[in-house]
Amino acid sequence: MNHWICPSILAADFTRLGTEVQAVLDAGADTIHFDVMDNHYVPNLSVGPLVLSSLRKAGFDCTIDAHLMVKPVDRLIGDFVEAGADYVTIHPESTEHLHRSLSQIREGGAKAGIVFNPATPLEVLSEVVDLVDLVLIMSVNPGFGGQSFIPSSLDKLRQAREMIEVSGRNIRLQIDGGIKPENIGDAAAAGADAFVAGTAIFGHSDYAEVISALRRNIA
Ligand code: DX5
Ligand code: ZN
């Protein structure tokens, strides 16, 4: 399976968002990771569907995966699907009825993702594995960029990889938080095939150089 590098725009320069997105795509990014924070589910506030639809209106046709850290999430799912998200990824804690929320994403025509925080067990995945196209493992507590990778996430990745293999379904396994050239190899060895990186990419002066370093270290 090919590996995806997914720059998180949270670390981009928002005064030049279009230019930043174009720059990481030119540098070899596979998807744009769009972090949505509500100052309720997580203690930070970022951007909403308006910004995502602005990227679409500006002509960006790249894959965009929207990571929704908002609660309650249901009312916003449709807005993000309509804004043009290819993947909408939600936390089980952000909805009363996970099965319904995941179905809602698919019914809107997007792909559905489920995301597990460092302290959230994976159990529920087996109940909804038929409804998801992406599993995201948080390797930091959600809410901020620039935090350190939590090593126990590697065990969780291995468990998730096994559950995905058992399901026999074509599901992406993404890792998010503190990913950099020094640890991406460990995440890949533990089964991840999609790697979110904010600070490591946008904090580097040469996006192409850091993205090739990330790719090189996956191998
Ligand atoms: C954290 C976000 C991450 C974050 C990653 O809540 O979900 O996507 O932006 O940033 P880095 O790569 O800096 O840890
Ligand atoms: Zn994220």
Side-chain angles (χ1 to χ4, degrees):
M1 190 183 254
N2 60 329
H3 294 94
W4 280 358
I5 304 291
C6 321
S8 160
I9 59 156
L10 195 64
D13 175 355
F14 274 90
T15 64
R16 305 161 48 247
L17 186 59
T19 311
E20 290 275 74
V21 167
Q22 190 59 54
V24 287
L25 292 172
D26 290 345
D30 300 285
T31 80
I32 297 299
H33 184 79
F34 195 95
D35 282 309
V36 182
M37 302 176 175
D38 69 346
N39 188 41
H40 172 70
Y41 179 65
V42 292
N44 200 359
L45 191 60
S46 65
V47 287
L50 180 69
V51 176
L52 205 159
S53 63
S54 301
L55 289 171
R56 291 302 189 208
K57 280 183 197 139
F60 289 101
D61 61 359
C62 54
T63 302
I64 299 181
D65 74 285
H67 173 194
L68 304 192
M69 291 161 272
V70 304
K71 185 179 179 174
V73 72
D74 283 356
R75 209 201 57 73
L76 283 171
I77 286 173
D79 292 357
F80 278 94
V81 172
E82 215 169 292
D86 297 284
Y87 287 81
V88 175
T89 301
I90 64 172
H91 288 257
E93 300 89 347
S94 69
T95 172
E96 296 294 337
H97 305 287
L98 180 62
H99 188 286
R100 177 184 293 147
S101 304
L102 290 168
S103 307
Q104 201 186 324
I105 298 170
R106 287 251 185 100
E107 280 156 19
K111 292 187 167 144
I114 183 171
V115 42
F116 295 91
N117 288 330
T120 306
L122 289 174
E123 271 115 63
V124 73
L125 178 57
S126 54
E127 305 296 330
V128 294
V129 74
D130 291 341
L131 295 176
V132 301
D133 305 286
L134 178 145
V135 172
L136 169 55
I137 303 298
M138 290 306 299
S139 38
V140 297
N141 287 293
F144 302 95
Q147 304 180 80
S148 302
F149 183 88
I150 298 172
S152 60
S153 320
L154 294 174
D155 274 338
K156 200 172 242 174
L157 272 178
R158 281 186 277 269
Q159 279 178 51
R161 170 51 66 198
E162 206 176 308
M163 291 170 86
I164 290 170
E165 294 307 317
V166 166
S167 80
R169 300 201 52 255
N170 181 19
I171 296 172
R172 281 269 159 197
L173 181 55
Q174 192 178 45
I175 182 89
D176 182 8
I179 291 291
K180 47 193 178 187
E182 294 72 32
N183 58 20
I184 196 168
D186 295 337
D193 57 27
F195 308 85
V196 176
T199 314
I201 293 176
F202 287 104
H204 197 283
S205 55
D206 186 334
Y207 299 163
E209 189 181 304
V210 67
I211 289 176
S212 26
L214 287 165
R215 245 187 242 292
R216 207 168 38 244
N217 291 358
I218 287 170

